Amino acid sequence: MPKGPGGTVVAAHDGRLVHCKGFGLADREKKVPARCDTAYDIMSITKQFTAAAIMKLELMGRLRVSDPISRYLGPVPAGKREITLHSLLTHTAGLDDDAIGGDDYEPVSRDGMLGIVLKSRLQSVPGAAFHYSNAGYSVLAAIVEKVSGVGYERFLARHLFAPAGMTRTGYVLPKWDRDQIAVEYDEDGRRKGRPNEHPWAADGPHWFLRGNGGVISTPRDMFRWHRALEGDRILSRQAKRRMFKPHVAVGVRNGFTFFYGYGWGITLAGGRRIIEHDGGNDWSFGEFARFPDRRAMVFWISNHAHRKGVWDLPEQNAELTLGIEARARD
């Protein structure tokens, strides 16, 4: 059986798709090659859609990011009354995913997830420190449903994906051709299946994954999302300015300062910004980076993030992404 990773790399500049090609196999058993229109689990890159949904609801006058979560979730424990949508968006709510527990595929409902999160201990007071939290974005997805009155995926499809021309992005609403979706493989090359072959609810992932990950998309659709973010059709200029603002410092690496916005990482590099987010699980990895000052974007993803010497995408990710900007400055 063929070995090695499969994946797709996309690059765009000045609104044009300049590269979109696959490498390796999307399905080793069937020898299906990875292509530009292969669909992948984009993992935590999903968070930018949740953040955009919150911003869209604010533009619609349905909420404000400064609102406390109690406005939408009802009474919350005393220590969590200071949690706002802003603190969830920026991972400063103090939520502790380890204390919350829960597996991505554990069959928990929306209200069940909310009950577990609200009862969990905090690792810092709300607003005090950055602690990356998947659960925080699941809470935001629940708020999207409660405020909009429709399902999380349906809201994304109607207000984000359709206006952007993204027809192959979502959980269960796209009519997926099974062979279009990449099979994932663990570090030993064992087949882990397609993302929607894992235990899901009828309308998508269970709630420890929903809103923070699990969206399936094609690289071509991610280019369409980039194009939509360059314009003002989906989000206003002011909304995007707030979404891409470096709200909270995360750290410094190789001379670059890292921040978090709303569903996006922000890197300041030589006076320019890199707006990016990666996503990974135990077998796949992807990165979506936008360079707004150069009107450029790169999206790359693999269905086999090897960790045994062949390659290690999580380890190489920052070097590759920052290296693009470094070469552009030279």
Side-chain angles (χ1 to χ4, degrees), residues 8 32 44 48 55 94 131 155 172 201 237 240-241 254 269 310:
T8 303
V32 176
S44 282
Q48 62 195 249
M55 300 306 293
H131 300 291
F155 185 87
V172 300
R237 191 169 303 177
K240 289 184 296 180
R241 188 160 50 242
N254 298 330
V310 176

Side-chain angles (χ1 to χ4, degrees), residues 140-283:
L140 287 167
I143 291 171
V144 168
E145 290 198 347
K146 286 176 174 288
V147 172
S148 70
V150 299
Y152 167 77
E153 182 190 7
R154 195 163 295 279
F155 185 87
L156 298 187
R158 183 179 303 165
H159 295 284
L160 305 182
F161 301 155
M166 300 165 67
T167 61
R168 313 305 293 162
T169 301
Y171 287 140
V172 300
L173 292 180
K175 298 186 183 301
W176 298 112
D177 176 348
R178 185 170 181 271
D179 286 340
Q180 184 184 19
I181 302 176
V183 175
E184 296 176 311
Y185 299 88
D186 70 12
E187 61 184 27
D188 295 313
R190 292 173 297 202
R191 182 186 181 100
K192 302 302 294 185
R194 295 174 174 84
N196 57 354
E197 292 174 343
H198 297 295
W200 274 17
D203 59 346
H206 296 296
W207 276 88
F208 283 131
L209 180 59
R210 193 173 308 203
N212 71 70
V215 161
I216 301 169
S217 186
T218 67
R220 195 185 303 274
D221 257 15
M222 295 305 291
F223 161 69
R224 290 170 177 145
W225 178 236
H226 162 71
R227 283 288 308 276
L229 291 174
E230 287 193 318
D232 301 330
R233 183 175 180 183
I234 296 175
L235 294 176
S236 69
R237 191 169 303 177
Q238 181 181 14
K240 289 184 296 180
R241 188 160 50 242
R242 294 169 65 204
M243 189 164 68
F244 299 140
K245 181 180 178 179
H247 289 287
V248 56
V250 176
V252 178
R253 180 177 178 183
N254 298 330
F256 293 90
T257 305
F258 295 85
F259 298 86
Y260 205 86
Y262 289 168
W264 291 86
I266 316 296
T267 304
L268 302 183
R272 292 192 174 92
R273 290 180 303 155
I274 303 172
I275 301 171
E276 60 81 33
H277 211 292
D278 61 29
N281 53 35
D282 289 337
W283 40 80

Side-chain angles (χ1 to χ4, degrees), residues 20-134:
C20 191
K21 291 183 179 179
F23 58 89
L25 298 176
D27 184 332
R28 298 177 188 174
E29 290 75 18
K30 290 187 175 182
K31 296 182 173 55
V32 176
R35 300 184 173 94
C36 181
D37 291 303
T38 296
Y40 300 88
D41 178 355
I42 64 169
M43 300 162 284
S44 282
I45 298 171
T46 298
K47 290 180 176 66
Q48 62 195 249
F49 297 136
T50 303
I54 293 292
M55 300 306 293
K56 188 69 174 180
L57 284 166
E58 185 173 62
L59 287 172
M60 295 164 68
R62 306 290 295 277
L63 55 72
R64 294 178 299 179
V65 299
S66 58
D67 290 337
I69 60 173
S70 59
R71 179 163 295 180
Y72 308 104
L73 303 183
V76 301
K80 299 183 176 70
R81 291 173 188 166
E82 301 303 315
I83 295 177
T84 63
L85 305 190
H86 169 84
S87 61
L88 290 174
L89 287 163
T90 57
H91 298 289
T92 58
L95 296 177
D96 185 342
D97 282 7
D98 290 335
I100 292 166
D103 181 83
D104 285 351
Y105 307 115
E106 184 176 330
V108 63
S109 67
R110 184 188 74 187
D111 291 345
M113 176 274 297
L114 289 172
I116 293 169
V117 171
L118 292 177
K119 290 177 183 177
S120 68
R121 64 170 172 80
L122 296 178
Q123 55 187 322
S124 61
V125 297
F130 177 88
H131 300 291
Y132 189 87
S133 174
N134 286 313

